[in-house]
Amino acid sequence: MKKLFVLSLILLLSAALVPDKITGRSVEHSSENSRCFKCHGKIVYNYFNKVQDQHLTKRMNPYFVIDSVLFYNSNHKSLECFDCHSYDYKTFPHNSELQMELMPTCLDCHEGDEVTANYHFEKINEEFLKSVHYIRHPKEFTCFMCHNPHTYKINVRKNENIDETIIYDNNICLSCHANINKYHLISSNKNPNIIKKHDWLPDQITHFAHVRCIECHTQTTNKTLVAHQILAKDKAVKKCVECHSQNSMLMASLYKFRAKESRNQFGYFNASILNNAYVIGANRNYYLNVMSWVIFGFAVFLIVIHAVLRILIK
Amino acid sequence: MKEQVYLYPIWVRLWHLFNALLFLALILTGLSLQYSNKIFTLIPFNYSVSIHNISGLILAAAYLFYLFGNRFTSNGRYYRFETNKLFVRLAKQFRYYSYGIFKNESPPFPVSAERKFNPLQKLCYIIVMYVLMPILIATGLGLFFPDILPNKIMGITGIQFVDLFHISTGFTLSLFMVVHIYLCTIGKTPLSNFKSMINGWH
Ligand code: HEM
């Protein structure tokens, strides 16, 4: 009996000690979730058909397939499906009434939550309420439209690789703006062609790989790391010098986190951008500039002396 | 009056005219890109980009034209690099520019049909046309097609690396141009070389 007690204690302790990174979740949840993943983790599922008295394999609606790897890498890896979905999903076939269940919002869990206080959810929510998306489609547009409930993983705050962050963030917007199916969840209008609408921007491939959509389409503030107030299209940044200048706005958005570290390193203005991109106008080098004017001035000086002497002596 | 020689065939003059005008456009737009800011703009950024791109592409085409011309006409012979007593000849010409000219000495290497350029001029033109211009054009094309550049070269982004060469070469050539224009005023009269470059006769 004592042996059993010690054994279970060790088991308990080791379970508690297993770091989050390895298991990717707290152990107690996994068994509950795996019940759902048994069907929702694959493109086909099995169930016992009582009427026909046999096991059947059916296709899962691809939109209802949830990638368990992405889920256990997401912000919400420690959550149970039941934290957001009704317990009644335990039964299959699911009760059709469940389709109408009310889903929790981010704020339901995060408002006043101390662990995530530094994300300023309330401020983000305020900005979101002022965004074009919400103003035009207050019923359909929720935070979950951009933050996939099962895969969303914070990037810009923790990911060292800015290129990856840019791709991640832009894919959020492109999931609708380059995908008519999801776009139509919100609006039945024609989806404007993003490439054509940005024809005025040269080197689109380079730009979209090195800046995020939200750089130009939001109002940045000091309150949030990721601005959430998407502005109407006529308020979007169109002036090149907003980025291509010494006081580039990129330093207040994409490079906000690094901005303080190394503003002007080796004479380069806005040096924190340089790891990832070289922005004409924003990343000129002070020393090279000074040197070039000195050399140029010296040459002109010699020319003037030479010319004056030629005129005087003639 | 000395006999005149026909030194600048029409294609050289046309190339040179385009080259000079495009170069001025490139310098102006290049400077306004490099010093782009929100307070004062010489030329709006997006216009600078377009003008700079288009001028650069035409300049590259003009440069090819010049290469062909020098390859297939006799003008190429003026650019033949001679190492024989190079430094002595260079020193002689340099001495003339910095001293002899003030003593009203006659130039050590007078222009003739066999010798269009003095040694200093020749060396400069060879370096400018066969070393610096290719670097400027190649790096310019790299920046025009940034997708073909490697992500990182020696720890910095490909664009930064290539741009560093582009602006340094552009600067050196701008410096050359100023000195070049000034040295062209040293002729029979201050304007005679410019007239030659217009009508072809020296
Ligand atoms: C507004 C600007 C410029 C002016 C007024 C100008 C003027 C002249 C003149 C008067 C000559 C004839 C004298 C001589 O043979 O040395 C000449 C020749 C030449 N210039 Fe220029 N130049 C200008 C810009 C440039 C630039 C930007 C380059 C090259 C990047 C250049 C390259 C040359 C070359 C290679 C020759 C010799 C051409 C030959 O006869 O084969 N010039 N220039």
Side-chain angles (χ1 to χ4, degrees):
Chain A
M1 188 63 207
K2 205 176 158 202
K3 232 182 182 172
L4 201 69
F5 175 74
V6 172
L7 201 70
S8 56
L9 197 71
I10 289 172
L11 265 175
L12 260 174
L13 274 175
S14 61
L17 283 174
V18 172
D20 218 34
K21 265 190 209 133
I22 294 169
T23 57
R25 63 202 124 106
S26 51
V27 177
E28 48 172 326
H29 285 160
S30 67
S31 62
E32 286 291 352
N33 287 356
S34 63
R35 272 216 252 166
C36 313
F37 276 130
K38 217 172 64 212
C39 289
H40 287 285
K42 295 181 295 204
I43 48 165
V44 291
Y45 65 96
N46 297 292
Y47 76 104
F48 182 71
N49 187 320
K50 277 183 227 150
V51 181
Q52 300 178 20
D53 192 30
Q54 57 175 334
H55 282 277
L56 286 180
T57 301
K58 289 272 188 160
R59 268 206 263 247
M60 177 58 84
N61 177 342
Y63 289 107
F64 292 175
V65 174
I66 288 155
D67 188 326
S68 60
V69 177
L70 290 181
F71 181 83
Y72 287 126
N73 264 315
S74 75
N75 295 338
H76 293 133
K77 53 179 176 265
S78 64
L79 293 190
E80 252 183 61
C81 310
F82 296 137
D83 284 328
C84 296
H85 294 284
S86 162
Y87 267 109
D88 299 341
Y89 274 111
K90 271 186 182 162
T91 53
F92 184 84
H94 303 317
N95 181 346
S96 57
E97 296 276 308
L98 286 174
Q99 288 185 14
M100 287 168 243
E101 73 173 338
L102 192 66
M103 299 307 295
T105 66
C106 313
L107 276 265
D108 287 342
C109 297
H110 286 288
E111 196 167 23
D113 172 28
E114 277 180 19
V115 183
T116 52
N118 56 337
Y119 288 88
H120 306 292
F121 275 80
E122 295 82 358
K123 300 257 164 54
I124 290 180
N125 190 44
E126 272 170 37
E127 292 184 10
F128 170 68
L129 295 182
K130 286 189 273 179
S131 72
V132 267
H133 289 137
Y134 182 80
I135 288 172
R136 295 200 193 145
H137 304 277
K139 285 205 202 72
E140 300 88 341
F141 223 109
T142 65
C143 311
F144 285 118
M145 283 295 156
C146 288
H147 295 295
N148 185 314
H150 312 114
T151 60
Y152 167 45
K153 180 172 166 53
I154 44 167
N155 259 270
V156 66
R157 184 178 285 263
K158 300 219 169 130
N159 196 337
E160 287 286 311
N161 186 336
I162 289 206
D163 284 338
E164 266 173 34
T165 298
I166 293 168
I167 293 173
Y168 183 90
D169 288 9
N170 285 357
N171 277 342
I172 289 180
C173 311
L174 294 174
S175 75
C176 284
H177 286 288
N179 179 344
I180 191 72
N181 294 337
K182 192 170 166 197
Y183 189 86
H184 276 177
L185 272 179
I186 310 290
S187 161
S188 50
N189 288 344
K190 224 175 121 228
N191 197 350
N193 182 319
I194 289 299
I195 310 274
K196 280 219 191 87
K197 290 288 175 188
H198 296 87
D199 261 350
W200 50 273
L201 186 67
D203 292 312
Q204 268 196 39
I205 299 177
T206 304
H207 273 109
F208 288 162
H210 288 105
V211 293
R212 298 172 300 175
C213 316
I214 51 177
E215 250 70 77
C216 296
H217 284 290
T218 59
Q219 176 78 55
T220 41
T221 64
N222 287 329
K223 295 182 203 146
T224 50
L225 178 62
V226 181
H228 272 72
Q229 186 182 346
I230 312 278
L231 302 165
K233 63 182 169 200
D234 51 311
K235 297 224 181 65
V237 171
K238 203 170 187 176
K239 276 224 203 81
C240 320
V241 283
E242 292 297 331
C243 294
H244 290 281
S245 63
Q246 196 181 318
N247 50 346
S248 175
M249 65 173 222
L250 289 174
M251 295 299 282
S253 51
L254 186 53
Y255 294 93
K256 204 174 197 166
F257 252 20
R258 293 158 201 231
K260 282 163 235 136
E261 295 169 13
S262 52
R263 258 199 102 78
N264 301 333
Q265 210 183 13
F266 304 123
Y268 278 105
F269 293 108
N270 306 315
S272 25
I273 296 177
L274 284 174
N275 250 334
N276 179 61
Y278 178 81
V279 183
I280 298 170
N283 291 133
R284 61 196 178 82
N285 188 298
Y286 177 74
Y287 299 133
L288 285 183
N289 287 156
V290 170
M291 210 164 77
S292 67
W293 288 115
V294 169
I295 295 176
F296 198 81
F298 188 63
V300 171
F301 175 72
L302 286 183
I303 287 176
V304 169
I305 299 231
H306 199 269
V308 168
L309 282 177
R310 261 171 75 204
I311 293 165
L312 286 182
I313 286 169
K314 181 84 193 175
Chain B
M1 179 143 187
K2 236 171 65 185
E3 191 127 319
Q4 288 207 318
V5 272
Y6 186 65
L7 273 190
Y8 305 106
I10 180 73
W11 70 264
V12 169
R13 285 179 277 146
L14 274 179
W15 161 77
H16 188 269
L17 177 68
F18 274 99
N19 188 55
L21 292 180
L22 291 167
F23 217 85
L24 283 174
L26 285 164
I27 291 177
L28 282 181
T29 50
L31 277 175
S32 78
L33 289 174
Q34 167 83 177
Y35 291 98
S36 156
N37 67 75
K38 293 181 197 175
I39 304 146
F40 170 78
T41 3
L42 198 61
I43 306 162
F45 193 87
N46 48 340
Y47 290 124
S48 296
V49 168
S50 315
I51 298 174
H52 200 82
N53 285 348
I54 294 168
S55 309
L57 289 176
I58 306 178
L59 184 89
Y63 178 72
L64 281 185
F65 174 75
Y66 167 90
L67 280 188
F68 271 99
N70 267 359
R71 174 73 185 76
F72 295 112
T73 75
S74 60
N75 197 56
R77 74 177 190 277
Y78 298 121
Y79 291 84
R80 217 158 285 147
F81 188 66
E82 290 154 36
T83 45
N84 188 24
K85 287 201 185 150
L86 178 66
F87 288 103
V88 178
R89 284 182 293 124
L90 286 178
K92 231 180 188 171
Q93 182 65 28
F94 187 76
R95 188 192 157 278
Y96 172 72
Y97 278 148
S98 56
Y99 179 77
I101 188 171
F102 302 120
K103 296 270 160 200
N104 279 328
E105 287 175 13
S106 52
F109 301 96
V111 177
S112 69
E114 281 70 49
R115 184 174 57 217
K116 179 150 74 166
F117 309 135
N118 70 50
L120 210 56
Q121 223 179 353
K122 190 192 223 174
L123 184 69
C124 280
Y125 289 167
I126 290 176
I127 293 177
V128 162
M129 295 313 296
Y130 292 100
V131 180
L132 296 180
M133 284 293 269
I135 295 180
L136 187 71
I137 291 171
T139 51
L141 286 175
L143 292 171
F144 189 66
F145 300 107
D147 315 330
I148 60 170
L149 298 179
N151 259 338
K152 290 265 173 184
I153 306 175
M154 293 167 57
I156 59 180
T157 67
I159 291 185
Q160 187 187 359
F161 185 88
V162 173
D163 193 85
L164 210 56
F165 278 89
H166 190 70
I167 55 176
S168 319
T169 315
F171 167 74
T172 313
L173 282 172
S174 313
L175 200 65
F176 157 79
M177 191 171 108
V178 173
V179 177
H180 170 63
I181 296 175
Y182 176 67
L183 288 181
C184 284
T185 65
I186 300 179
K188 246 174 279 150
T189 71
L191 285 182
S192 58
N193 276 335
F194 298 99
K195 283 186 193 134
S196 308
M197 208 48 183
I198 293 170
N199 62 27
W201 291 91
H202 191 95

